[in-house]
């Protein structure tokens, strides 16, 4: 497990045991996570090449921590620090998740999450600490130049109407939608 450059995010690289029958690996082990994740919901999305989902985040508390895996195909998984007052506010980092390395990303509450399908079809499964709460779920625009996510070229981006209508970072900040860093840190302390 390695920390990403954004506090509250990690990449998990499992040890894959392969033999002539196929392979086996532990996809999730709660006791070894550096950030507690009680699983309340499991989501599965299947996307064609170029589909972008996100940048999504939830109100903190309770927020929604995520453990994200690509079980088939390949995606560019993106973490965005949307916590106002964070030393890395507005920064993003990407990790390739695929069905070969079997890596996963752990994302703490208050961070934004998005991904783009890189393969012809990609299946992403993510464990969530809280169930979907429409009133507490938000997004920022995935193409906001203020964030500047370096989406891969060569794929035609496809986004939902909801994500296309999401506000840019500055507008979300002015509207008071973004999580507060200090409040997130205090919330993390209650999870220990």
């Amino acid at each position: 497990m390695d920390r990403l450059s954004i506090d509250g995010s990690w990449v998990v690289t499992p040890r894959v045991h392969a033999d002539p029958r196929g392979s086996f690996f532990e996809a999730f082990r709660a006791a070894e996570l550096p950030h507690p994740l009680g699983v309340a919901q499991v989501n599965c999305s299947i996307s064609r090449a170029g589909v972008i989902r996100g940048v999504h985040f939830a109100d903190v508390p309770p927020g929604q921590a995520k453990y994200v895996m690509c079980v088939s195909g390949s995606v560019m998984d993106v973490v965005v620090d949307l916590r106002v007052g964070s030393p890395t506010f507005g920064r993003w980092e990407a990790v390739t998740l695929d069905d070969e390395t079997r890596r996963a990303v752990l994302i703490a509450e208050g961070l934004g999450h998005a991904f783009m399908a890189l393969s012809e079809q990609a299946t992403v499964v993510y464990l969530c600490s809280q169930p979907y709460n429409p009133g507490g779920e938000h997004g920022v625009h995935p193409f906001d130049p203020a964030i500047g996510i370096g989406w891969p070229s060569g794929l035609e981006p496809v986004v939902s109407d909801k994500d296309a209508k999401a506000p840019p970072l500055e507008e979300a900040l002015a509207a008071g939608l973004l999580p507060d860093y200090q409040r997130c840190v205090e919330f993390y302390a209650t999870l220990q």
Side-chain angles (χ1 to χ4, degrees), residues 1 5 17 21 27 32 34 37 54 58-59 66 72 81-82 86-87 103 136 142 144 148 151 155-156 159 172 181:
M1 185 155 326
S5 66
H17 306 277
R21 299 170 297 159
E32 293 184 4
L37 181 73
D59 291 337
K66 296 176 182 175
S72 176
D81 194 344
L82 300 174
S86 167
R103 295 191 304 175
D144 181 0
W151 298 111
L155 290 171
E156 182 68 33
V159 296
Y181 177 68

Side-chain angles (χ1 to χ4, degrees), residues 5-6 30 34 54 56 68 70 96 106 109 113 118-119 123 125 127 136 148 153 164 172 184:
S5 66
I6 297 171
H56 302 145
V68 185
C70 182
T96 300
L106 174 62
E109 297 84 351
H113 177 252
L118 302 176
S119 53
T123 302
V125 173
L127 314 179
S153 59
C184 287

Side-chain angles (χ1 to χ4, degrees), residues 53-97:
R53 297 184 188 265
V55 175
H56 302 145
F57 66 98
D59 291 337
V60 179
Q64 190 183 63
K66 296 176 182 175
Y67 187 88
V68 185
M69 303 170 279
C70 182
V71 297
S72 176
S74 175
V75 299
M76 175 180 150
D77 198 75
V78 180
V79 178
V80 181
D81 194 344
L82 300 174
R83 301 167 299 181
V84 178
S86 167
T88 55
F89 176 73
R91 184 184 304 170
W92 64 276
E93 184 165 357
V95 175
T96 300
L97 303 180

Side-chain angles (χ1 to χ4, degrees), residues 45 164 183:
S45 70
R183 191 166 185 192

